[in-house]
Amino acid sequence: MLLDHLSVDALKEIITGDSDLTPYLSGPKLISWFNPYGFDDEYAGGLPEHLSRNAYALMRVKEINEDDGKMKAFLESIVDSRRFANETNLDIGKVVEKVNSIIANDQLKLIEVAGVYRLYNADGSGEAAVTAVFEEIQAKILQEIESAEFLVWVAVAWFTDQTLYDALVAKRKAGIDVKVILNDDEINRSCGLNFQNGFRTKWIPPDGHFNNIMHHKFCVIDLTKVVHGSYNWTNKARFNQESVSITEDRAFTEEFAKAFVTLAAEE
C-alpha cells in the first residue's frame, strides 16, 4: 500500500468535492472517475451497496491503494489541471497544499514539473517509481533478481518455480545475500526444489488455533526496491490472473525489510 489508512480517510472529502477545495462530484461522476482504475460500477438510482458518496469514495480508494502504481496515478489525477478547467472559483494550488499535508505522513509529495503535478519522495530526491506488472510476471521477477548487487530476500507463501529457484541459487553462488522464507507445508516440502542446499531458508509452520499461515509474497532487492503483489512463485501462478508492483523507494522498501527480519527471527 502506498498510503496509510489515515491518509486514505483524510482524502475522501477532497475526492468527492465536499471539502470546498475541489469540484463537487455527483454519484455518477464519481463512478466515471473510479471505473478506469479497474471497476465496473453502474449508477442505478444510487451508488453500489447504497453507499453515500464519501463512503463509496473511501471504499474505492482503499482498493486502489492495494496497487501502488494505480494509487500513484490516482493521487496525481486529484490535482490534474483538467479537472479545474471550468472551476474559476477553485485554486488548484490550495488542493496541492492540502493533499501534500496529508501524504507527508507517507513520505510523499506532489511536485509541479512542466505544469503537471507528479508524485515524489517527500525530500524531493526522486519520483516514487512504481511499476505495475500484469503479464510476463515471472520474466520481470527474474529481471529484478538478476539486477541485485547485494541482497535478495524473499518471503513467499508457496514456491515451486524451478526457474526462479535457479536464479536465486546463481545469485547466492555469486556472493549475493540470498534468504528465503516459506510456509512449512506439503506443497513447498514436496515440490522437488532443494531449498536448504540452495540458499538460507526459513520455514514458517501454521500457527494458532486456526492454523494461520504466512501469506506474504514479496521480494526485497538491495534494500532499495521491493517486488510485491498477488503472485506466488509457483508454476501455477504463471497461468493465473496475477499482478505485482515494483516499487523503487528506499523508505518504502525498508518497511518490507523490517517485516522480513521479524519473520526470520520468529522461533
Side-chain angles (χ1 to χ4, degrees):
M1 295 186 293
L2 201 60
L3 300 185
D4 179 83
H5 71 282
L6 293 175
S7 299
V8 171
D9 186 69
L11 286 171
K12 65 179 183 294
E13 292 187 352
I14 296 173
I15 294 164
T16 61
D18 289 352
S19 67
D20 296 326
L21 291 173
T22 50
Y24 176 89
L25 296 183
S26 63
K29 287 185 176 180
L30 281 172
I31 285 177
S32 295
W33 190 6
F34 281 112
N35 272 357
Y37 292 90
F39 305 109
D40 191 26
D41 294 332
E42 296 181 0
Y43 191 87
L47 289 165
E49 302 180 29
H50 307 291
L51 293 171
S52 68
R53 291 166 46 260
N54 278 298
Y56 172 74
L58 182 60
M59 177 180 70
R60 288 293 178 244
V61 175
K62 284 181 177 179
E63 293 175 89
I64 292 173
N65 195 38
E66 294 176 1
D67 184 310
D68 293 350
K70 289 183 180 180
M71 193 60 192
K72 177 179 180 294
F74 184 77
L75 284 170
E76 292 173 348
S77 77
I78 293 174
V79 292
D80 189 317
S81 61
R82 291 169 292 187
R83 296 187 60 230
F84 296 80
N86 299 317
E87 304 289 341
T88 57
N89 61 322
L90 298 178
D91 184 348
I92 192 171
K94 291 182 178 179
V95 182
V96 172
E97 182 179 352
K98 180 63 175 179
V99 172
N100 278 341
S101 72
I102 295 170
I103 65 176
N105 295 283
D106 305 284
Q107 305 301 308
L108 297 170
K109 185 177 183 180
L110 290 163
I111 297 176
E112 186 177 7
V113 179
V116 178
Y117 287 98
R118 296 300 184 202
L119 191 66
Y120 282 77
N121 299 326
D123 61 7
S125 60
E127 191 170 4
V130 182
T131 303
V133 182
F134 299 93
E135 297 179 350
E136 303 297 333
I137 295 175
Q138 183 207 54
K140 188 59 178 174
I141 293 174
L142 279 172
Q143 179 182 336
E144 299 304 330
I145 292 172
E146 290 168 1
S147 74
E149 297 180 345
F150 308 108
L151 68 82
V152 181
W153 291 352
V154 180
V156 62
W158 294 286
F159 191 160
T160 65
D161 189 320
Q162 180 76 54
T163 301
L164 294 178
Y165 171 87
D166 289 343
L168 292 180
V169 171
K171 277 297 178 179
R172 193 267 302 170
K173 290 180 178 178
I176 305 301
D177 178 21
V178 176
K179 297 185 180 74
V180 174
I181 297 176
L182 303 171
N183 276 332
D184 190 354
D185 67 4
E186 184 63 22
I187 293 174
N188 290 324
R189 290 286 189 179
S190 64
C191 70
L193 302 180
N194 194 344
F195 292 109
Q196 294 301 136
N197 290 338
F199 33 73
R200 293 177 63 181
T201 303
K202 172 72 178 266
W203 300 89
I204 304 291
D207 180 59
H209 179 72
F210 295 102
N211 288 323
N212 301 315
I213 64 171
M214 191 282 295
H215 205 245
H216 290 298
K217 298 113 177 172
F218 68 83
C219 173
V220 174
I221 307 287
D222 293 342
L223 297 181
T224 60
K225 181 190 306 182
V226 62
V227 181
H228 56 107
S230 68
Y231 191 85
N232 276 297
W233 291 23
T234 62
N235 298 314
K236 183 179 179 180
R238 292 165 53 202
F239 305 99
N240 292 339
Q241 294 187 24
E242 306 273 1
S243 65
V244 297
S245 293
I246 301 168
T247 304
E248 297 183 56
D249 178 83
R250 189 172 189 90
F252 183 83
T253 302
E254 285 179 354
E255 292 302 310
F256 280 86
K258 289 176 184 177
F260 185 92
V261 170
T262 299
L263 284 170
E266 289 184 0
E267 296 296 332

